[in-house]
């Protein structure tokens, strides 16, 4: 019985073990079937990518050899109904393939940019600068197509090429500056729509102005061309004054630019043109030409091409540089790249100049004839050390005053300065002038005087001008008041005088005796200068006597007027001087190293007072 039970237990154990083995085998077979299916799909994908059918057979044979020892495998319907792993594998392969192709395309663009840079270098060495710049533009466009966010691994190569392009561009512009005497000494004339429009203006509505400018140019161009050749600049620049001023030596723009080359005061001073009460060298064609050439050289060295340099000459280099900085490129532009961003006057300025050059080269085509050209005037330079008027010189040597004014346009008031001056005299009159120079009377004209007026409620420019015996125009010009003539109460105006203050005439009707003191009630329109002039004293004396900290007065205010301090000054270290023929207060003050106002105050003279030979003056 016991043996029977043991036999039954062994049979059950054998059956259980057999079932487990069968289950494991089925599971393993299913896993092998899935793996085999994937291998078949991979083999099919590889075969589809290979161009050679022999290669497909070899790979298939190798795969069959590897599976020789395996039983035939079939793919169940369930595995075909769920191909997620197959799609994922195929998608990954396709993405990897696309990335490889994209990287190849980006690298090709990098290589293309480098080849263009190399070709540009070759063109530059052969002197073909325009072709070199064109190739560098293409190279830069090529690297701009590479998206830095998508392909960050190419950022360094892209930056290196950008730097190389910028460096090459600067080298090309620098070479243009160096070879200014060579093939780049001419300004290229581009006949685009903007230039054509200016040609129509010059040959249409502005035809008369253009012809008159050509007639005036004949007087000044010989000197301008000579200086341009000496400086190694294009001769075409000699026509720039036609656009600037129409070759008018006294042309004045709304921006206060003056002369043939239209210098503003600050730029003129920067390039050596002096300006004071007596002279303004911006009006001298020869001095202004030398300054303009120096300025144009600086601008060409800065920008590298003449069109941009000329734009900067018109509106200033700072404005052009600001415009260039706003451009979204990494190297220098030419004028036409900046055209739309420059001021309207400047955007017309360069096309007008190019139109001028075109018309000058085709005068017959536009039927332009110069009938009355102005000829240069031959002159000699004579040094003169006395202050005289041009009309007095013209009278002595027998020429028209206009002739001397045209030869010496820098003399603002046709009056020589008190210091030594180089005067231009017509060549045929130079000897006569030197023989009569001592007979020409000396003229004294002090610099203009300016007083200040605080605008009160109800004041008008006409009323102020009438009060100070000047003009509305003079007050407006001195204070930059526009045509509407609007003034605001409380504003302080500069009141200029004519002829050195002659129009502001407050006679010294009550001169004080030495040591005398009196009181004065301030009236409407009074100021310290007028009161001091009236009583023959000084503003400092009045301020000291009344302990004033400023110059502001109020109507009804009581002032103590005294000459006590003046008396003490007169007694200290003074002498007398006997006026001689040809003397003036200015020359006497200069002789004794005195201030002119001090000399006048010591002798109770005004700037309109006359002195006579034999008169005694107090000097220090």
């Amino acid at each position: 019985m016991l043996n029977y039970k043991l036999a039954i237990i062994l049979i059950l154990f054998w059956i259980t073990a057999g079932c487990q083995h069968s289950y494991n085998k089925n599971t393993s077979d299913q896993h092998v079937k899935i793996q085999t299916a994937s291998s078949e799909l991979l083999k099919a994908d590889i075969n589809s990518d290979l161009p050679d059918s022999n290669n497909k057979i070899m790979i298939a044979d190798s795969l069959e050899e590897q599976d020789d020892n395996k039983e035939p495998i079939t793919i169940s319907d369930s595995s075909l109904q769920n191909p997620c792993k197959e799609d994922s594998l195929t998608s990954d392969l396709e993405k990897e393939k696309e990335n490889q192709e994209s990287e190849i395309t980006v690298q090709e663009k990098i290589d293309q940019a480098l080849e263009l840079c190399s070709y540009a270098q070759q063109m530059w060495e052969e002197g073909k600068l325009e072709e070199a710049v064109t190739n560098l533009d293409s190279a830069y466009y090529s690297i701009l197509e590479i998206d830095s966010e998508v392909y960050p691994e190419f950022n360094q190569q892209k930056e290196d090429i950008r730097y190389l392009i910028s460096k090459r561009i600067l080298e090309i512009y620098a070479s243009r500056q160096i070879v200014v005497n060579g093939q780049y000494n001419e300004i290229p004339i581009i006949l685009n729509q903007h230039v054509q429009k200016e040609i129509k203006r010059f040959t249409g509505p502005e035809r008369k102005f253009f012809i008159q400018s050509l007639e005036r140019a004949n007087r000044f161009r010989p000197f301008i061309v000579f200086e341009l050749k000496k400086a190694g600049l294009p001769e075409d620049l000699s026509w720039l004054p036609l656009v600037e001023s129409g070759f008018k030596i006294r042309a004045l723009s709304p921006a206060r630019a003056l002369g043939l080359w239209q210098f503003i005061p600050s730029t003129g001073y920067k390039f050596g043109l002096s300006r004071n009460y007596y002279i303004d060298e911006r009006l001298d064609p020869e001095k202004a030409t030398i300054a303009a050439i120096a300025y144009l050289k600086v601008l060409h060295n800065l920008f590298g091409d003449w069109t941009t340099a000329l734009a900067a000459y018109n509106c200033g280099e700072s404005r052009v540089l600001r415009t260039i900085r706003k451009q979204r490129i990494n190297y220098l532009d030419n004028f036409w790249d900046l055209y739309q961003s420059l001021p309207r006057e400047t955007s017309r300025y360069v096309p007008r100049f190019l139109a001028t050059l075109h018309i000058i080269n085709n005068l017959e085509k536009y039927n332009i004839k110069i009938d009355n050209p102005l000829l240069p005037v031959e002159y000699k330079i004579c040094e003169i050390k006395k202050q005289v008027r041009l009309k007095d010189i013209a009278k002595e040597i027998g020429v028209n005053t206009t002739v001397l004014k045209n030869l010496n346009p820098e003399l603002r008031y046709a009056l020589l300065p008190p210091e030594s001056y180089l005067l231009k005299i017509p060549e045929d009159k130079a000897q006569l002038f030197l023989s009569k120079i001592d007979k020409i009377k000396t003229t004294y004209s002090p610099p203009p005087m300016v007083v200040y007026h605080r605008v009160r409620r109800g004041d008008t420019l006409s009323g102020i001008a009438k009060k100070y015996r000047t003009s509305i125009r003079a007050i407006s010009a001195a204070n930059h008041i526009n045509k509407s003539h609007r003034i605001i109460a409380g504003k302080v105006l500069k009141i200029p005088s004519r002829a050195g203050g002659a129009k502001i005439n407050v006679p010294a009707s009550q001169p004080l005796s030495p040591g005398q003191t009196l009181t004065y009630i301030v009236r409407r329109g009074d100021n310290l200068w007028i009161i001091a002039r009236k009583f023959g004293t000084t503003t400092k004396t009045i301020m000291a006597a009344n302990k004033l900290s400023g110059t502001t007065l109020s109507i009804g205010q009581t002032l103590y007027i005294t000459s006590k301090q003046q008396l003490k000054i007169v007694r200290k270290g003074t002498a007398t001087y006997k006026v001689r023929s040809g003397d003036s207060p200015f020359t006497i003050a200069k002789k004794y190293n005195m201030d002119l106002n001090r000399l006048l105050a010591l002798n109770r003279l005004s700037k309109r007072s006359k002195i006579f030979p034999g008169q005694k003056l107090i000097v220090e």
Side-chain angles (χ1 to χ4, degrees):
M1 188 66 181
L2 180 62
N3 292 333
Y4 178 75
K5 289 180 179 181
L6 288 172
I8 293 173
I9 292 169
L10 289 172
I11 290 169
L12 291 173
F13 179 77
W14 178 79
I15 292 171
T16 304
C19 290
Q20 182 66 32
H21 176 71
S22 177
Y23 172 78
N24 289 340
K25 184 176 180 181
N26 291 335
T27 304
S28 176
D29 291 343
Q30 186 178 4
H31 180 67
V32 170
K33 289 177 183 179
I34 293 172
Q35 285 186 340
T36 305
S38 298
S39 299
E40 293 292 335
L41 288 172
L42 179 60
K43 182 167 64 176
D45 184 70
I46 292 172
N47 289 338
S48 65
D49 288 342
L50 290 175
D52 191 354
S53 60
N54 293 329
N55 291 337
K56 293 180 184 179
I57 296 171
M58 290 175 63
I59 292 173
D61 291 342
S62 63
L63 289 172
E64 289 175 1
E65 289 176 1
Q66 293 176 4
D67 296 339
D68 282 343
N69 297 326
K70 296 182 180 178
E71 298 178 357
I73 299 171
T74 57
I75 301 174
S76 64
D77 293 338
S78 61
S79 65
L80 289 174
Q81 292 172 359
N82 194 15
C84 294
K85 293 183 179 180
E86 173 188 338
D87 293 343
S88 176
L89 181 60
T90 305
S91 177
D92 291 342
L93 289 171
E94 289 177 354
K95 287 182 179 179
E96 184 177 354
K97 181 179 178 182
E98 289 177 0
N99 290 336
Q100 289 176 353
E101 291 177 351
S102 299
E103 288 182 5
I104 291 172
T105 304
V106 171
Q107 188 60 50
E108 286 177 352
K109 290 180 180 179
I110 293 288
D111 295 340
Q112 182 184 13
L114 289 172
E115 288 178 4
L116 288 169
C117 289
S118 177
Y119 186 69
Q121 177 73 11
Q122 182 182 346
M123 292 296 100
W124 176 45
E125 291 173 355
E126 294 176 2
K128 300 176 181 178
L129 304 190
E130 295 298 335
E131 292 185 24
V133 172
T134 302
N135 281 280
L136 289 173
D137 283 338
S138 301
Y140 189 74
Y141 179 76
S142 180
I143 63 172
L144 283 181
E145 293 179 339
I146 302 173
D147 193 335
S148 301
E149 294 182 358
V150 177
Y151 305 105
E153 64 272 18
F154 291 97
N155 283 351
Q156 186 59 48
Q157 293 186 60
K158 183 178 176 181
E159 183 63 22
D160 291 342
I161 295 174
R162 188 204 63 77
Y163 175 77
L164 177 63
I165 294 171
S166 302
K167 184 179 178 182
R168 289 284 183 270
I169 287 286
L170 292 174
E171 287 173 349
I172 289 172
Y173 280 122
S175 67
R176 283 183 174 182
Q177 301 159 19
I178 294 169
V179 298
V180 75
N181 288 313
Q183 67 182 93
Y184 274 89
N185 66 339
E186 297 298 330
I187 300 172
I189 302 176
I190 302 172
L191 297 179
N192 56 25
Q193 59 177 346
H194 309 296
V195 178
Q196 293 286 0
K197 189 182 296 184
E198 298 301 331
I199 292 173
K200 290 181 181 179
R201 285 196 179 102
F202 277 140
T203 56
E206 299 181 28
R207 182 183 181 86
K208 183 178 179 181
F209 161 80
F210 192 84
I211 294 175
Q212 291 176 345
S213 299
L214 291 180
E215 292 175 346
R216 288 188 291 266
N218 197 64
R219 172 168 291 180
F220 306 108
R221 280 197 71 246
F223 178 82
I224 297 173
V225 170
F226 174 78
E227 291 296 327
L228 287 170
K229 286 182 178 179
K230 189 165 68 173
L233 299 186
E235 292 182 27
D236 288 342
L237 292 174
S238 63
W239 293 107
L240 191 60
L242 189 147
V243 181
E244 285 284 352
S245 61
F247 282 98
K248 296 178 182 178
I249 55 178
R250 291 182 177 85
L252 179 66
S253 75
R256 314 303 296 173
L258 185 63
L260 205 68
W261 293 91
Q262 291 290 282
F263 276 102
I264 60 174
S266 57
T267 308
Y269 179 79
K270 180 180 178 181
F271 289 93
L273 299 178
S274 301
R275 181 173 177 265
N276 57 35
Y277 170 67
Y278 298 102
I279 66 172
D280 191 337
E281 291 182 342
R282 295 179 296 165
L283 292 166
D284 188 306
E286 296 182 0
K287 294 177 181 177
T289 294
I290 294 171
I293 289 173
Y295 189 25
L296 288 168
K297 269 190 171 182
V298 170
L299 294 175
H300 187 260
N301 289 338
L302 179 62
F303 295 105
D305 73 285
W306 282 115
T307 51
T308 311
L310 292 175
Y313 186 90
N314 180 257
C315 68
E317 59 269 33
S318 299
R319 177 60 185 268
V320 175
L321 288 171
R322 285 199 303 270
T323 305
I324 288 176
R325 279 197 292 268
K326 291 178 182 178
Q327 300 291 99
R328 295 186 176 181
I329 61 176
N330 290 307
Y331 51 85
L332 299 176
D333 306 20
N334 62 37
F335 170 77
W336 301 109
D337 295 327
L338 311 172
Y339 179 82
Q340 298 295 338
S341 303
L342 291 171
R344 183 177 180 275
E345 180 186 349
T346 304
S347 61
R348 284 191 59 199
Y349 180 81
V350 174
R352 280 176 74 83
F353 177 67
L354 297 178
T356 299
L357 296 183
H358 174 73
I359 297 172
I360 294 298
N361 295 330
N362 300 274
L363 291 178
E364 294 182 359
K365 176 182 176 181
Y366 297 102
N367 194 26
I368 293 178
K369 298 179 181 179
I370 305 173
D371 297 325
N372 302 305
L374 294 180
L375 300 177
V377 179
E378 299 295 331
Y379 63 85
K380 281 191 175 181
I381 297 177
C382 302
E383 185 177 3
I384 183 169
K385 297 182 179 180
K386 56 192 298 187
Q387 190 173 28
V388 295
R389 294 188 182 277
L390 291 183
K391 66 178 182 179
D392 296 330
I393 298 175
K395 185 178 180 180
E396 287 293 333
I397 64 176
V399 298
N400 194 305
T401 306
T402 305
V403 175
L404 293 181
K405 287 183 177 179
N406 290 336
L407 283 175
N408 303 276
E410 68 178 6
L411 295 173
R412 300 174 65 185
Y413 304 108
L415 173 68
L416 271 64
E419 60 271 10
S420 177
Y421 182 76
L422 298 177
L423 184 68
K424 296 173 184 175
I425 300 291
E427 189 174 26
D428 57 339
K429 300 289 183 179
Q431 291 299 325
L432 180 61
F433 169 72
L434 293 175
S435 65
K436 292 190 173 184
I437 189 170
D438 293 332
K439 297 180 181 180
I440 301 173
K441 65 178 181 179
T442 302
T443 303
Y444 167 70
S445 179
M449 186 182 303
V450 176
V451 295
Y452 294 89
H453 175 84
R454 185 180 295 277
V455 179
R456 298 180 176 88
R457 188 178 182 86
D459 278 351
T460 62
L461 278 182
S462 59
I464 296 171
K466 185 177 180 180
K467 176 180 179 179
Y468 290 98
R469 300 183 183 179
T470 184
S471 65
I472 296 175
R473 184 177 181 180
I475 297 175
S476 299
N479 297 276
H480 305 289
I481 300 173
N482 58 24
K483 294 181 180 179
S484 62
H485 300 316
R486 297 181 64 183
I487 53 177
I488 302 172
K491 183 178 180 180
V492 177
L493 298 179
K494 290 191 295 184
I495 311 297
S497 66
R498 294 180 180 175
K503 291 295 180 181
I504 305 177
N505 181 23
V506 182
S509 58
Q510 301 178 29
L512 299 177
S513 302
Q516 181 182 359
T517 302
L518 55 81
T519 58
Y520 177 79
I521 306 299
V522 178
R523 302 172 185 176
R524 184 181 184 86
D526 279 343
N527 59 42
L528 284 179
W529 182 84
I530 293 176
I531 297 170
R533 178 83 179 270
K534 184 175 183 179
F535 293 101
T537 183
T538 63
T539 57
K540 290 184 178 180
T541 301
I542 297 174
M543 292 178 68
N546 294 275
K547 299 180 180 180
L548 300 177
S549 58
T551 59
T552 304
L553 302 177
S554 57
I555 299 174
Q557 182 178 353
T558 300
L559 295 178
Y560 296 99
I561 312 298
T562 178
S563 63
K564 183 177 180 181
Q565 294 183 12
Q566 182 181 352
L567 181 63
K568 288 182 179 180
I569 296 173
V570 171
R571 290 177 177 174
K572 182 180 179 180
T574 59
T576 58
Y577 174 80
K578 190 175 182 179
V579 178
R580 301 174 185 175
S581 179
D583 279 345
S584 68
F586 179 82
T587 58
I588 296 171
K590 187 175 181 181
K591 182 176 180 180
Y592 287 92
N593 294 322
M594 294 177 60
D595 182 70
L596 175 61
N597 293 327
R598 176 67 175 156
L599 176 67
L600 297 177
L602 286 175
N603 294 277
R604 297 182 183 177
L605 298 174
S606 69
K607 292 187 177 181
R608 296 187 65 193
S609 300
K610 296 181 179 180
I611 58 175
F612 306 93
Q615 182 179 353
K616 292 183 179 180
L617 298 179
I618 300 172
V619 295
E620 288 181 339

